Amino acid sequence: DHGNLTNGPEFYPNNAYCTWVIVPSNSAHSIHLRFTAFDMEEYYDYVQIFSEPTNGSGTLQLIASLTGSRIPTATFSVDGGDSMVVRLTSDGLFNGAGFVANYETRTEVDFSPRPCVGEGVTLTADHGNLTNGPEFYPNNAYCTWVIVPSNSAHSIHLRFTAFDMEEYYDYVQIFSEPTNGSGTLQPVATLTGSRIPTAIFSVDGGD
């Protein structure tokens, strides 16, 4: 199953509140949405994407909040049979052309966690890679990776091989989470800009 979403062909109106709900068929387990055109008044008008769980709670889980005139490069997805809600909102002044997006539903089951949805991704392997790629990270992103050491490991070491964040506005933060279960995060580093950090960032003591 597949189709198109758009507010067009005309510009969206002022004070708009438009909603599209994509409901997967009984055989489909995931929905994938990609934009082919995008033009919203930056910082005032938004397209938001939510996941709506199948449990009937009605609680919407925010996936992305998009604004501006750059076409998002990411493919936005929901899994597990959840519905996808796309919402356009605007203020009372200027407006833009809006958006065009393509969606499709797929039958393959992919319950793997995603770093920018919910509580993020927990990693337990002794070594591996972290990345938000291969596409650009979206606007208003909040993505989390948690690296948990094995019982025999007492330290974690992280080194960057590529780095490109909007300087002074977008950040990668590294924290140490103590093993005492307090849940208090201790800042290790806050990084921004396009220079690859040369330091190796470490946490010890089984954190």
Side-chain angles (χ1 to χ4, degrees):
D1 295 339
H2 62 278
N4 299 318
L5 303 182
T6 181
N7 62 276
E10 301 171 340
F11 279 32
Y12 59 83
N14 293 330
N15 300 304
Y17 188 91
C18 310
T19 303
W20 296 259
V21 181
I22 306 171
V23 180
S25 64
N26 291 335
S27 60
H29 295 279
S30 63
I31 302 170
H32 304 266
L33 180 77
R34 190 175 190 104
F35 290 91
T36 58
F38 198 89
D39 180 32
M40 304 292 294
E41 183 191 8
E42 192 162 22
Y43 305 128
Y44 293 94
D45 302 342
Y46 288 87
V47 173
Q48 293 178 298
I49 304 169
F50 302 89
S51 175
E52 184 175 25
T54 58
N55 60 16
S57 67
T59 302
L60 299 181
Q61 184 175 17
L62 181 64
I63 296 173
S65 186
L66 310 170
T67 189
S69 57
R70 177 182 295 179
I71 299 174
T73 58
T75 298
F76 302 96
S77 304
V78 299
D79 300 300
D82 291 357
S83 298
M84 177 182 285
V85 178
V86 180
R87 181 169 294 157
L88 182 154
T89 57
S90 65
D91 67 358
L93 294 175
F94 305 104
N95 48 30
F99 74 92
V100 178
N102 301 324
Y103 74 88
E104 65 173 335
T105 60
R106 300 177 185 171
T107 57
E108 75 270 15
V109 181
D110 180 9
F111 294 108
S112 60
R114 300 177 184 273
C116 303
V117 177
E119 297 180 357
V121 172
T122 298
L123 305 169
T124 57
D126 291 339
H127 64 276
N129 299 318
L130 305 183
T131 180
N132 64 276
E135 298 161 339
F136 280 36
Y137 58 85
N139 294 329
N140 300 299
Y142 188 91
C143 310
T144 304
W145 295 260
V146 181
I147 307 171
V148 179
S150 63
N151 291 336
S152 60
H154 295 281
S155 63
I156 301 170
H157 304 273
L158 179 73
R159 183 169 198 142
F160 291 89
T161 57
F163 198 89
D164 181 27
M165 306 292 295
E166 183 186 11
E167 193 163 21
Y168 305 128
Y169 292 95
D170 300 343
Y171 292 89
V172 172
Q173 294 177 294
I174 304 169
F175 301 90
S176 173
E177 185 175 27
T179 57
N180 60 16
S182 67
T184 302
L185 298 181
Q186 184 175 359
V188 175
T190 297
L191 310 170
T192 189
S194 57
R195 178 178 295 178
I196 300 174
T198 58
I200 297 175
F201 301 94
S202 303
V203 298
D204 301 299
D207 292 357

